Amino acid sequence: MITIIQEQPNNYNITENIVKLAFESAQHSDGNEHILVKKLRQSSAFIPELSLIAKNNNQIIGHIMFSKIKINETTQIALAPISVLPKFQKQGIGGMLIKEGHKIAKELGFEFSVVLGDPLYYTKFGYIPAYNFKIKPPFNINTEYYMAINLQGKTTILDGIVKYSKEFFE
């Protein structure tokens, strides 16, 4: 049985290893996602309630992190990264992590989550091209890969450029 719970400090080494293993064979990866996770945990962008792990019985098999971003004067969140151990991929665990993360983020009052990723995957969870909310990435990217979801279901249009924490660019 898979359970999704908040990551605890005693999980950090395990989850960083999961992130590293999950991205080892990823097509679009610099191999440093586990370092990003470590840096984000030490930053003001870190939201402990939105750093979640998936457990299969007592084994940690997946991790997701949402961190704070700015769009204009508002604080929103970015999903990055999401990781599942290779032998547990394609079993719906990533989706479970995303759905639980969205639920908690909504309860915490966040309105938007952005993600850079595969539209075939993220649209299953309600993400649509961010330009629909006039949310723009701070880098040059094919707009179909930059997506957002309105977690609160309001009609808000933010019309701004996303400002990530410096840890994303170090």
Side-chain angles (χ1 to χ4, degrees), residues 22-78:
F23 281 93
E24 269 183 345
S25 60
Q27 187 176 3
H28 301 286
S29 169
D30 63 4
N32 291 322
E33 288 81 3
H34 63 293
I35 296 168
L36 173 62
V37 167
K38 189 173 195 161
K39 288 179 180 178
L40 284 171
R41 283 196 199 106
Q42 299 165 2
S43 77
S44 61
F46 182 57
I47 309 163
E49 299 89 343
L50 290 174
S51 186
L52 306 173
I53 56 173
K55 291 180 100 176
N56 182 23
N57 299 316
N58 278 333
Q59 181 189 5
I60 300 172
I61 59 169
H63 175 258
I64 192 169
M65 180 180 276
F66 295 84
S67 57
K68 294 177 193 171
I69 56 170
K70 286 286 196 185
I71 304 174
N72 299 326
E73 300 305 311
T74 70
T75 300
Q76 307 298 336
I77 56 174

Side-chain angles (χ1 to χ4, degrees), residues 72-112:
N72 299 326
E73 300 305 311
T74 70
T75 300
Q76 307 298 336
I77 56 174
L79 187 171
I82 181 169
S83 311
V84 177
L85 283 173
K87 74 177 191 175
F88 291 97
Q89 290 176 3
K90 301 193 183 322
Q91 297 178 28
I93 296 161
M96 292 172 69
L97 285 161
I98 292 170
K99 289 175 187 172
E100 184 65 14
H102 285 171
K103 178 179 164 251
I104 294 167
K106 183 178 179 178
E107 291 168 1
L108 292 173
F110 291 104
E111 190 168 1
F112 286 93

Side-chain angles (χ1 to χ4, degrees), residues 132-150:
N132 287 288
F133 304 110
K134 296 187 178 181
I135 297 172
K136 300 163 203 79
F139 37 77
N140 189 15
I141 185 78
N142 183 330
T143 56
E144 74 177 287
Y145 293 97
Y146 201 71
M147 296 162 281
I149 183 172
N150 184 324

